[in-house]
Amino acid sequence: MTRTTPPTLVAVAHGSPDPRAQHSVRALVRLVRALRPGLRVELGHLESDEPLLGDTLAKLRGRAVLVPLLFSRGYHLKRDLPAVAARAEARGGPRTVTAACLGPHPLLAEALHSRLLEAGWAAAPGTAVVLAAAGSLDPESAAGTQHTADLLAARLGGVPVVPAYASAARPTVAEAVAGLRERGHAADDIALASCFVAPGLFAARCQRDAPGRVVAAPLGAHPALARLLLHRYDQAVAASPAPRQPLEAAL
């Protein structure tokens, strides 16, 4: 019996005009390749950066698993990504399945916690965290971000973690900080966790409004995030039908 080639893992990034974003995303993809030697791992962007997802898929055949570098289910995951994949398949590209978004998951909470520690965070009475995310009008996206905040709060030993958004949803970081201060938290005791893969406009906007000294960097090529990409890939492969084999290969 012949062994089938595993589907290509295609990491799907949003894309950003900020040149640092592509550097971070490519570093993450390199780490994923290093963790799973022999697995073909490619990168595609929904907009702004190259290669665009459609161009990446046009070069592939067989099967591919699209792993969105998105932390909750919103418009990009539900509309943009399926549309690009369908066009590529109609033009002879690979058969694709889309993996779940990266959040919520304990590995995401691990990466967020790690970046907070790197920024100097330490648990103490009165501390709190604002979890900054991109934001979406989709209520499912907000629910996912809240779940991630709950996972991070549990990992931090019950420290309050409040979601906040750079766009589309409320509260903003400034509003979340104001709410925590009304509850008695001092500005210097409020840290910012960045639920972004890479630097860019949204991450910078949230960091600008952070009041305290602890401002975590975007997740980038964090080992826990790379493991999470592979976990989502494995889940999607396990849930998808096995490819048909030629009769002579099955005998």
Coordinates of all heavy atoms in Angstrom, one line a residue, residues 70-159:
L70 N -5.6 34.0 12.2 CA -6.7 34.8 12.8 C -7.1 34.2 14.1 O -7.1 33.0 14.3 CB -7.9 34.9 11.9 CG -7.5 35.4 10.4 CD1 -8.8 35.2 9.5 CD2 -7.2 36.9 10.4
F71 N -7.5 35.0 15.1 CA -7.7 34.6 16.4 C -9.2 34.3 16.8 O -9.5 33.9 17.8 CB -7.1 35.5 17.4 CG -5.6 35.6 17.3 CD1 -5.0 36.7 16.7 CD2 -4.8 34.5 17.7 CE1 -3.6 36.7 16.6 CE2 -3.4 34.5 17.5 CZ -2.8 35.7 17.0
S72 N -10.1 34.7 15.9 CA -11.5 34.5 16.1 C -12.2 34.4 14.8 O -11.7 34.8 13.7 CB -12.1 35.6 17.0 OG -11.9 36.8 16.4
R73 N -13.5 34.0 14.8 CA -14.2 33.8 13.6 C -15.0 35.1 13.2 O -15.9 35.5 13.9 CB -15.2 32.6 13.7 CG -14.6 31.3 13.7 CD -15.6 30.2 13.9 NE -16.7 30.3 12.9 CZ -16.7 29.9 11.7 NH1 -15.6 29.3 11.2 NH2 -17.8 30.0 10.9
G74 N -14.5 35.7 12.1 CA -15.1 36.9 11.7 C -15.2 36.9 10.2 O -15.2 35.9 9.5
Y75 N -15.4 38.1 9.6 CA -15.7 38.2 8.1 C -14.6 37.6 7.3 O -14.9 36.9 6.3 CB -15.8 39.7 7.8 CG -16.2 39.9 6.3 CD1 -17.6 40.0 6.0 CD2 -15.3 40.1 5.3 CE1 -18.0 40.2 4.7 CE2 -15.7 40.3 4.0 CZ -17.0 40.4 3.7 OH -17.4 40.5 2.4
H76 N -13.3 37.8 7.6 CA -12.2 37.3 6.8 C -12.3 35.8 6.7 O -12.1 35.2 5.6 CB -10.9 37.7 7.3 CG -10.6 39.2 7.1 ND1 -10.7 39.8 5.9 CD2 -10.3 40.1 8.1 CE1 -10.4 41.1 6.1 NE2 -10.2 41.3 7.4
L77 N -12.6 35.1 7.8 CA -12.6 33.7 7.9 C -13.8 33.1 7.2 O -13.8 32.1 6.5 CB -12.5 33.2 9.3 CG -12.4 31.7 9.5 CD1 -11.1 31.2 8.9 CD2 -12.4 31.4 11.0
K78 N -15.0 33.8 7.4 CA -16.2 33.3 6.9 C -16.5 33.7 5.4 O -17.2 32.9 4.7 CB -17.4 33.8 7.7 CG -17.4 33.3 9.2 CD -18.5 33.9 10.0 CE -18.5 33.3 11.4 NZ -19.7 33.9 12.2
R79 N -15.9 34.7 4.9 CA -16.2 35.2 3.6 C -15.0 35.3 2.7 O -15.0 34.6 1.6 CB -16.9 36.6 3.6 CG -18.2 36.6 4.4 CD -19.3 36.0 3.7 NE -20.6 36.2 4.4 CZ -21.1 35.5 5.3 NH1 -20.4 34.4 5.7 NH2 -22.2 35.7 5.9
D80 N -14.0 36.1 3.0 CA -12.9 36.3 2.2 C -12.1 35.0 1.8 O -11.8 34.7 0.7 CB -11.9 37.3 2.8 CG -12.5 38.7 2.8 OD1 -13.5 38.9 2.1 OD2 -12.0 39.5 3.6
L81 N -11.7 34.3 2.9 CA -10.9 33.1 2.7 C -11.6 32.0 1.8 O -11.0 31.5 0.9 CB -10.5 32.5 4.0 CG -9.3 31.6 4.1 CD1 -8.6 31.6 5.4 CD2 -9.7 30.2 3.7
P82 N -12.9 31.7 2.1 CA -13.5 30.7 1.3 C -13.7 31.1 -0.2 O -13.6 30.3 -1.1 CB -14.9 30.5 2.0 CG -14.7 30.9 3.4 CD -13.7 32.0 3.3
A83 N -13.9 32.4 -0.4 CA -14.0 32.9 -1.8 C -12.7 32.7 -2.6 O -12.8 32.3 -3.7 CB -14.5 34.4 -1.8
V84 N -11.6 33.0 -2.0 CA -10.3 32.9 -2.6 C -10.1 31.4 -2.9 O -9.6 31.0 -4.0 CB -9.2 33.5 -1.8 CG1 -7.8 33.2 -2.5 CG2 -9.4 35.0 -1.6
A85 N -10.3 30.5 -1.9 CA -10.1 29.1 -2.1 C -11.0 28.5 -3.2 O -10.5 27.7 -4.0 CB -10.3 28.4 -0.8
A86 N -12.2 28.9 -3.3 CA -13.1 28.4 -4.3 C -12.7 28.8 -5.7 O -12.7 28.0 -6.6 CB -14.6 28.9 -4.0
R87 N -12.3 30.1 -5.8 CA -11.8 30.5 -7.1 C -10.5 29.7 -7.6 O -10.4 29.4 -8.7 CB -11.5 32.0 -7.1 CG -12.7 32.9 -7.1 CD -12.3 34.4 -7.4 NE -11.4 34.9 -6.5 CZ -11.8 35.6 -5.4 NH1 -13.1 35.8 -5.1 NH2 -10.9 36.1 -4.6
A88 N -9.6 29.5 -6.6 CA -8.4 28.8 -7.0 C -8.7 27.3 -7.4 O -8.2 26.8 -8.3 CB -7.5 28.8 -5.8
E89 N -9.6 26.7 -6.7 CA -10.0 25.3 -7.0 C -10.7 25.2 -8.3 O -10.5 24.3 -9.1 CB -10.9 24.7 -5.9 CG -11.1 23.2 -6.0 CD -11.7 22.6 -4.8 OE1 -11.7 23.2 -3.7 OE2 -12.2 21.4 -4.9
A90 N -11.5 26.2 -8.6 CA -12.2 26.2 -9.9 C -11.2 26.4 -11.1 O -11.5 26.0 -12.2 CB -13.3 27.4 -10.0
R91 N -10.1 27.0 -10.8 CA -9.1 27.2 -11.9 C -8.0 26.0 -11.9 O -7.0 26.2 -12.5 CB -8.4 28.5 -11.7 CG -9.3 29.7 -11.9 CD -8.7 31.0 -11.4 NE -9.6 32.1 -11.5 CZ -9.4 33.3 -11.0 NH1 -8.4 33.6 -10.3 NH2 -10.3 34.3 -11.2
G92 N -8.3 24.9 -11.2 CA -7.4 23.8 -11.2 C -6.4 23.7 -10.0 O -5.5 22.9 -10.0
G93 N -6.7 24.6 -9.0 CA -5.8 24.6 -7.8 C -6.1 23.4 -6.9 O -6.9 22.5 -7.3
P94 N -5.6 23.4 -5.8 CA -5.7 22.2 -4.9 C -7.1 22.2 -4.2 O -7.8 23.2 -4.1 CB -4.7 22.5 -3.8 CG -4.6 24.0 -3.7 CD -4.7 24.4 -5.2
R95 N -7.5 21.0 -3.8 CA -8.7 20.8 -3.0 C -8.3 21.3 -1.6 O -7.3 20.8 -1.0 CB -9.2 19.4 -3.0 CG -9.5 18.8 -4.4 CD -10.1 17.4 -4.3 NE -9.2 16.5 -3.6 CZ -8.1 15.9 -4.1 NH1 -7.8 16.1 -5.4 NH2 -7.4 15.0 -3.4
T96 N -9.1 22.2 -1.1 CA -8.7 22.8 0.2 C -9.8 22.5 1.3 O -11.0 22.3 1.0 CB -8.6 24.3 0.1 OG1 -9.8 24.9 -0.3 CG2 -7.5 24.6 -0.9
V97 N -9.3 22.4 2.5 CA -10.1 22.5 3.7 C -9.6 23.7 4.6 O -8.4 23.9 4.5 CB -10.2 21.2 4.5 CG1 -10.8 20.1 3.7 CG2 -8.8 20.8 5.0
T98 N -10.4 24.3 5.3 CA -10.0 25.4 6.2 C -10.0 24.9 7.6 O -11.0 24.4 8.1 CB -10.9 26.6 6.0 OG1 -10.8 27.0 4.6 CG2 -10.4 27.8 6.9
A99 N -8.8 25.1 8.3 CA -8.7 24.8 9.7 C -9.4 25.8 10.6 O -9.8 26.9 10.1 CB -7.2 24.7 10.1
A100 N -9.6 25.5 11.8 CA -10.2 26.4 12.8 C -9.2 27.6 13.0 O -8.0 27.5 12.8 CB -10.5 25.7 14.1
C101 N -9.8 28.7 13.3 CA -8.9 29.9 13.7 C -8.1 29.5 14.9 O -8.3 28.6 15.6 CB -9.8 31.1 13.9 SG -11.0 31.0 15.1
L102 N -7.1 30.4 15.2 CA -6.1 30.0 16.2 C -6.7 30.2 17.7 O -6.2 29.5 18.6 CB -4.9 31.0 16.1 CG -4.1 30.8 14.8 CD1 -2.9 31.7 14.8 CD2 -3.7 29.4 14.6
G103 N -7.7 31.0 17.8 CA -8.3 31.1 19.2 C -9.7 30.7 19.2 O -10.4 30.6 18.2
P104 N -10.2 30.4 20.4 CA -9.5 30.3 21.6 C -8.8 29.0 21.8 O -9.3 28.0 21.3 CB -10.6 30.6 22.7 CG -11.8 30.0 22.0 CD -11.7 30.4 20.6
H105 N -7.7 28.9 22.5 CA -7.0 27.7 22.8 C -6.0 27.9 23.9 O -5.4 29.0 24.0 CB -6.3 27.2 21.5 CG -5.9 25.8 21.6 ND1 -4.7 25.4 22.2 CD2 -6.5 24.6 21.2 CE1 -4.5 24.1 22.1 NE2 -5.6 23.6 21.6
P106 N -5.7 26.9 24.7 CA -4.7 27.1 25.8 C -3.3 27.4 25.3 O -2.6 28.2 25.9 CB -4.7 25.7 26.5 CG -6.1 25.2 26.3 CD -6.5 25.7 24.9
L107 N -3.0 27.0 24.1 CA -1.7 27.3 23.5 C -1.6 28.8 23.2 O -0.5 29.4 23.3 CB -1.4 26.5 22.3 CG -0.9 25.1 22.5 CD1 -0.9 24.3 21.2 CD2 0.5 25.0 23.1
L108 N -2.7 29.4 22.8 CA -2.7 30.8 22.6 C -2.6 31.6 23.9 O -1.8 32.6 24.0 CB -4.0 31.2 21.9 CG -4.3 32.7 21.7 CD1 -3.1 33.4 20.9 CD2 -5.6 33.0 21.0
A109 N -3.2 31.1 24.9 CA -3.0 31.7 26.3 C -1.6 31.6 26.7 O -1.1 32.5 27.4 CB -4.0 31.1 27.3
E110 N -1.0 30.5 26.4 CA 0.4 30.3 26.8 C 1.3 31.3 26.1 O 2.2 31.9 26.7 CB 0.9 28.9 26.4 CG 2.4 28.6 26.7 CD 2.8 27.2 26.2 OE1 1.9 26.3 26.1 OE2 4.0 27.0 26.0
A111 N 1.1 31.5 24.8 CA 1.9 32.5 24.1 C 1.7 33.9 24.6 O 2.6 34.7 24.8 CB 1.6 32.4 22.6
L112 N 0.4 34.3 24.9 CA 0.1 35.6 25.4 C 0.8 35.8 26.8 O 1.4 36.9 27.0 CB -1.4 35.8 25.5 CG -2.2 35.9 24.2 CD1 -3.7 35.7 24.5 CD2 -1.9 37.3 23.6
H113 N 0.7 34.8 27.6 CA 1.3 34.9 28.9 C 2.9 35.1 28.8 O 3.5 35.9 29.5 CB 1.0 33.6 29.7 CG 1.6 33.6 31.1 ND1 1.6 32.4 31.8 CD2 2.1 34.6 31.9 CE1 2.1 32.7 33.0 NE2 2.4 34.0 33.1
S114 N 3.5 34.3 27.9 CA 4.9 34.4 27.7 C 5.3 35.8 27.3 O 6.3 36.4 27.8 CB 5.4 33.4 26.7 OG 6.7 33.5 26.4
R115 N 4.6 36.4 26.3 CA 4.9 37.7 25.9 C 4.8 38.8 27.0 O 5.5 39.7 27.1 CB 4.1 38.1 24.7 CG 4.4 37.4 23.4 CD 5.8 37.7 22.9 NE 6.0 37.2 21.5 CZ 7.1 36.4 21.2 NH1 8.0 36.1 22.2 NH2 7.2 35.9 20.0
L116 N 3.8 38.6 27.9 CA 3.6 39.5 29.0 C 4.8 39.4 30.0 O 5.3 40.4 30.4 CB 2.3 39.1 29.8 CG 1.0 39.6 29.2 CD1 -0.2 39.0 29.9 CD2 0.9 41.2 29.3
L117 N 5.3 38.1 30.2 CA 6.4 38.0 31.1 C 7.7 38.6 30.5 O 8.5 39.3 31.2 CB 6.7 36.5 31.3 CG 5.6 35.7 32.1 CD1 5.9 34.2 32.2 CD2 5.6 36.3 33.6
E118 N 7.8 38.5 29.2 CA 9.0 39.1 28.5 C 8.9 40.6 28.6 O 10.0 41.3 28.6 CB 9.0 38.7 27.0 CG 9.3 37.3 26.7 CD 9.1 36.9 25.3 OE1 8.7 37.7 24.5 OE2 9.3 35.7 25.0
A119 N 7.7 41.2 28.7 CA 7.6 42.6 28.8 C 7.7 43.1 30.3 O 7.7 44.3 30.5 CB 6.2 43.1 28.3
G120 N 7.9 42.2 31.2 CA 8.1 42.6 32.6 C 6.9 42.4 33.5 O 7.0 42.9 34.7
W121 N 5.9 41.7 33.0 CA 4.7 41.6 33.9 C 5.0 40.6 35.0 O 5.7 39.6 34.9 CB 3.5 41.0 33.0 CG 2.3 40.9 33.8 CD1 1.3 41.9 34.0 CD2 1.8 39.8 34.5 NE1 0.3 41.4 34.7 CE2 0.5 40.1 35.1 CE3 2.3 38.5 34.7 CZ2 -0.2 39.2 35.8 CZ3 1.5 37.6 35.4 CH2 0.3 38.0 36.0
A122 N 4.4 41.0 36.2 CA 4.5 40.1 37.3 C 3.1 40.2 38.1 O 2.6 41.4 38.3 CB 5.6 40.4 38.2
A123 N 2.6 39.1 38.5 CA 1.4 39.2 39.3 C 1.6 39.8 40.6 O 2.5 39.6 41.3 CB 0.8 37.7 39.5
A124 N 0.6 40.7 41.0 CA 0.7 41.4 42.2 C -0.7 41.9 42.5 O -1.6 42.0 41.6 CB 1.7 42.6 42.2
P125 N -1.0 42.2 43.8 CA -2.4 42.7 44.1 C -2.7 44.0 43.3 O -1.8 44.9 43.2 CB -2.3 43.0 45.6 CG -1.2 42.1 46.1 CD -0.2 42.0 45.0
G126 N -3.8 44.0 42.7 CA -4.3 45.2 41.9 C -3.9 45.1 40.5 O -4.3 46.0 39.7
T127 N -3.2 44.1 40.0 CA -2.8 44.1 38.6 C -4.0 43.6 37.8 O -4.9 42.9 38.3 CB -1.6 43.1 38.4 OG1 -1.9 41.8 38.9 CG2 -0.4 43.6 39.0
A128 N -4.0 44.1 36.5 CA -5.0 43.7 35.6 C -4.4 43.7 34.2 O -3.3 44.3 34.0 CB -6.2 44.6 35.6
V129 N -5.1 43.1 33.2 CA -4.6 43.0 31.8 C -5.7 43.4 30.9 O -6.8 42.9 31.0 CB -4.1 41.5 31.5 CG1 -3.7 41.4 30.1 CG2 -2.9 41.2 32.4
V130 N -5.3 44.2 29.9 CA -6.2 44.4 28.7 C -5.7 43.5 27.6 O -4.5 43.6 27.2 CB -6.2 45.9 28.3 CG1 -7.0 46.1 27.0 CG2 -6.8 46.8 29.5
L131 N -6.6 42.7 27.1 CA -6.3 41.8 25.9 C -6.7 42.6 24.7 O -7.9 42.7 24.3 CB -7.0 40.5 26.1 CG -6.8 39.5 24.9 CD1 -5.4 39.1 24.8 CD2 -7.8 38.3 25.0
A132 N -5.7 43.1 23.9 CA -6.0 43.8 22.7 C -6.1 42.9 21.5 O -5.2 42.1 21.3 CB -4.9 44.9 22.5
A133 N -7.2 43.1 20.7 CA -7.4 42.3 19.5 C -7.9 43.2 18.4 O -8.2 44.4 18.6 CB -8.5 41.2 19.9
A134 N -8.0 42.6 17.2 CA -8.3 43.4 16.1 C -9.7 44.0 16.1 O -10.0 45.1 15.9 CB -8.1 42.6 14.8
G135 N -10.7 43.1 16.4 CA -12.1 43.5 16.5 C -12.9 43.1 15.3 O -12.3 43.0 14.2
S136 N -14.2 42.9 15.4 CA -15.1 42.5 14.3 C -16.5 42.9 14.7 O -16.8 42.9 15.9 CB -14.9 41.0 14.0 OG -15.9 40.6 13.1
L137 N -17.3 43.1 13.7 CA -18.8 43.3 14.0 C -19.5 41.9 14.2 O -20.6 41.9 14.7 CB -19.4 44.0 12.8 CG -19.0 45.4 12.5 CD1 -19.6 45.9 11.2 CD2 -19.3 46.3 13.7
D138 N -18.8 40.8 13.9 CA -19.4 39.5 14.1 C -19.4 39.1 15.6 O -18.4 39.1 16.2 CB -18.6 38.5 13.3 CG -19.3 37.1 13.2 OD1 -19.8 36.7 14.2 OD2 -19.2 36.5 12.1
P139 N -20.6 38.9 16.2 CA -20.7 38.5 17.6 C -19.9 37.2 17.9 O -19.4 37.1 19.1 CB -22.2 38.4 17.9 CG -22.8 38.2 16.5 CD -22.0 38.9 15.6
E140 N -19.7 36.3 17.0 CA -19.0 35.1 17.2 C -17.5 35.5 17.5 O -16.8 34.8 18.3 CB -19.1 34.1 16.1 CG -18.5 32.8 16.4 CD -18.8 31.8 15.2 OE1 -19.4 32.2 14.2 OE2 -18.4 30.6 15.4
S141 N -17.0 36.5 16.8 CA -15.6 36.9 17.0 C -15.5 37.4 18.4 O -14.5 37.1 19.1 CB -15.3 38.0 16.0 OG -14.0 38.5 16.2
A142 N -16.4 38.3 18.9 CA -16.3 38.8 20.2 C -16.3 37.7 21.3 O -15.6 37.7 22.3 CB -17.4 39.8 20.5
A143 N -17.2 36.7 21.0 CA -17.3 35.6 22.0 C -16.0 34.8 22.0 O -15.5 34.4 23.1 CB -18.4 34.7 21.6
G144 N -15.3 34.7 20.9 CA -14.0 34.0 20.9 C -13.0 34.7 21.6 O -12.2 34.1 22.4
T145 N -12.9 36.0 21.5 CA -12.0 36.9 22.2 C -12.2 36.8 23.7 O -11.3 36.8 24.5 CB -12.0 38.3 21.7 OG1 -11.8 38.3 20.2 CG2 -10.9 39.1 22.3
Q146 N -13.5 36.9 24.1 CA -13.8 36.8 25.5 C -13.3 35.4 26.1 O -12.8 35.4 27.2 CB -15.3 36.9 25.7 CG -15.7 36.9 27.2 CD -15.1 38.0 28.0 OE1 -15.3 39.2 27.7 NE2 -14.3 37.6 29.0
H147 N -13.5 34.4 25.3 CA -13.0 33.0 25.8 C -11.5 33.0 25.9 O -11.0 32.5 26.9 CB -13.5 32.0 24.8 CG -13.3 30.6 25.3 ND1 -13.7 29.5 24.6 CD2 -12.7 30.1 26.4 CE1 -13.3 28.4 25.2 NE2 -12.7 28.7 26.3
T148 N -10.8 33.7 25.0 CA -9.4 33.7 25.1 C -9.0 34.6 26.3 O -8.0 34.2 27.1 CB -8.8 34.4 23.9 OG1 -9.0 33.6 22.7 CG2 -7.3 34.6 24.0
A149 N -9.7 35.6 26.6 CA -9.4 36.4 27.8 C -9.6 35.6 29.1 O -8.8 35.7 30.0 CB -10.3 37.7 27.8
D150 N -10.7 34.8 29.1 CA -10.9 33.9 30.2 C -9.8 32.9 30.4 O -9.4 32.6 31.6 CB -12.3 33.2 30.1 CG -13.5 34.1 30.1 OD1 -13.3 35.3 30.6 OD2 -14.5 33.8 29.6
L151 N -9.3 32.3 29.3 CA -8.2 31.3 29.4 C -7.0 32.0 29.9 O -6.2 31.4 30.7 CB -8.0 30.7 28.0 CG -9.0 29.8 27.5 CD1 -8.7 29.4 26.0 CD2 -9.1 28.5 28.3
L152 N -6.7 33.2 29.5 CA -5.5 33.9 29.9 C -5.7 34.3 31.4 O -4.7 34.2 32.2 CB -5.3 35.2 29.1 CG -4.1 36.1 29.5 CD1 -2.8 35.3 29.4 CD2 -4.0 37.3 28.6
A153 N -6.8 34.7 31.8 CA -7.1 35.1 33.2 C -6.8 33.9 34.1 O -6.2 34.0 35.2 CB -8.5 35.6 33.4
A154 N -7.3 32.7 33.7 CA -7.1 31.5 34.5 C -5.6 31.1 34.6 O -5.1 30.7 35.6 CB -7.8 30.3 33.8
R155 N -4.9 31.3 33.4 CA -3.4 31.0 33.4 C -2.7 32.0 34.3 O -1.6 31.7 34.9 CB -2.9 31.1 32.0 CG -1.5 30.7 31.8 CD -1.0 30.7 30.4 NE 0.4 30.3 30.4 CZ 0.8 29.0 30.3 NH1 -0.1 28.0 30.1 NH2 2.1 28.7 30.2
L156 N -3.2 33.2 34.5 CA -2.5 34.2 35.3 C -3.0 34.2 36.8 O -2.6 35.0 37.6 CB -2.8 35.6 34.8 CG -2.3 36.0 33.3 CD1 -2.7 37.4 32.9 CD2 -0.8 35.7 33.2
G157 N -3.7 33.1 37.1 CA -4.1 33.0 38.5 C -5.3 33.8 38.9 O -5.5 34.1 40.1
G158 N -6.2 34.1 38.0 CA -7.4 34.9 38.3 C -7.3 36.4 38.2 O -8.2 37.1 38.5
V159 N -6.1 36.9 37.6 CA -6.0 38.3 37.4 C -7.1 38.7 36.4 O -7.3 38.0 35.4 CB -4.6 38.6 36.8 CG1 -4.5 40.0 36.3 CG2 -3.5 38.4 37.9

